[in-house]
Amino acid sequence: DQQVKQNSPSLSVQEGRISILNCDYTNSMFDYFLWYKKYPAEGPTFLISISSIKDKNEDGRFTVFLNKSAKHLSLHIVPSQPGDSAVYFCAASGDQGYQKVTFGTGTKLQVIP
Amino acid sequence: NAGVTQTPKFRVLKTGQSMTLLCAQDMNHEYMYWYRQDPGMGLRLIHYSVGEGTTAKGEVPDGYNVSRLKKQNFLLGLESAAPSQTSVYFCASTIGTGYQPQHFGDGTRLSIL
């Protein structure tokens, strides 16, 4: 049972345009959400997070939006840069405390110069 | 500051062989985790530890054992390797208070023939 779903395995975007990565979750107990970025042959690195008490969080070019009623979050990257090409994992926690995190399957973003 | 270091980076085993993967962190983090990443499956939690001397099962613990004898180290053991355990293994750690992101190592690529 995949509680965190990233239905788009891949996404291609032109440099300078907006990248929108989507994530859906099914467990209503999740109350903290994170995005991680992963380059080939490296481990995931934390990118941005959002608590369920917010609906938006910004950090530079990256913005995460949370729609609790739809159990949906999205990551916006504006403007997209070639260095953003990576796999992005959505993750959620809170159903079993903050010790455990459930990850989505990832979306591979390619930013075309 | 090395962060999270995984040893070895690559390994090829024969079915039935045993081995231990080592994870070391120098950030004085309380919580440590072992994940496996398989194509289309995202990151799945194998075992985790909430402090020195403690371990707990994650989502896919069968066929693996772990030990956390020292706070900075978290060992993952395969007693009798099977081809289904071919995967990329990631170790992660987090400080353990509040909602804090996990810090990942660069992974161990393990092939079981």
Side-chain angles (χ1 to χ4, degrees):
Chain A
D1 179 27
Q2 192 73 29
Q3 297 188 75
V4 179
K5 302 177 184 178
Q6 295 177 256
N7 293 318
S8 297
S10 62
L11 175 68
S12 290
V13 172
Q14 289 290 130
E15 180 179 2
R17 304 296 292 268
I18 184 171
S19 295
I20 300 176
L21 293 85
N22 294 305
C23 178
D24 296 294
Y25 61 96
T26 57
N27 191 333
S28 58
M29 296 300 292
F30 288 145
D31 64 358
Y32 191 72
F33 305 89
L34 311 94
W35 286 93
Y36 285 83
K37 175 179 177 180
K38 183 185 179 303
Y39 292 118
E42 294 183 10
T45 55
F46 170 71
L47 187 59
I48 192 169
S49 63
I50 188 167
S51 165
S52 61
I53 63 173
K54 296 185 175 181
D55 55 18
K56 177 182 174 182
N57 188 29
E58 283 184 83
D59 185 0
R61 297 185 296 113
F62 302 91
T63 303
V64 56
F65 295 92
L66 175 63
N67 183 333
K68 291 186 290 293
S69 61
K71 293 190 178 67
H72 176 84
L73 63 156
S74 60
L75 175 68
H76 293 212
I77 306 173
V78 183
S80 300
Q81 299 174 354
D84 297 328
S85 297
V87 176
Y88 290 79
F89 289 100
C90 172
S93 66
D95 63 327
Q96 297 181 62
Y98 49 80
Q99 300 97 324
K100 292 173 69 175
V101 174
T102 302
F103 285 85
T105 53
T107 296
K108 184 176 183 179
L109 173 66
Q110 181 185 22
V111 179
I112 304 165
Chain B
N1 190 344
V4 179
T5 303
Q6 292 184 233
T7 309
K9 296 188 184 305
F10 304 95
R11 187 72 183 268
V12 178
L13 289 178
K14 294 181 179 179
T15 297
Q17 287 184 319
S18 63
M19 81 161 294
T20 300
L21 281 65
L22 173 64
C23 177
Q25 53 93 5
D26 61 2
M27 296 173 284
N28 200 34
H29 285 172
E30 286 293 336
Y31 292 1
M32 297 187 73
Y33 308 81
W34 276 107
Y35 294 91
R36 59 178 289 174
Q37 184 193 9
D38 302 293
M41 302 291 287
L43 291 160
R44 293 183 293 168
L45 182 64
I46 305 171
H47 286 281
Y48 66 103
S49 168
V50 299
E52 181 179 314
T54 75
T55 63
K57 294 181 180 179
E59 180 185 357
V60 288
D62 293 342
Y64 305 94
N65 57 76
V66 287
S67 64
R68 182 105 180 264
L69 299 179
K70 293 183 178 181
K71 184 177 183 178
Q72 64 267 33
N73 296 336
F74 196 28
L75 279 62
L76 178 70
L78 286 73
E79 290 188 347
S80 180
S84 61
Q85 295 176 305
T86 293
S87 188
V88 181
Y89 292 85
F90 288 100
C91 177
S93 70
T94 188
I95 192 167
T97 55
Y99 288 99
Q100 296 294 328
Q102 296 178 13
H103 298 256
F104 284 82
D106 284 340
T108 294
R109 284 151 186 80
L110 184 61
S111 293
I112 316 295
L113 303 179

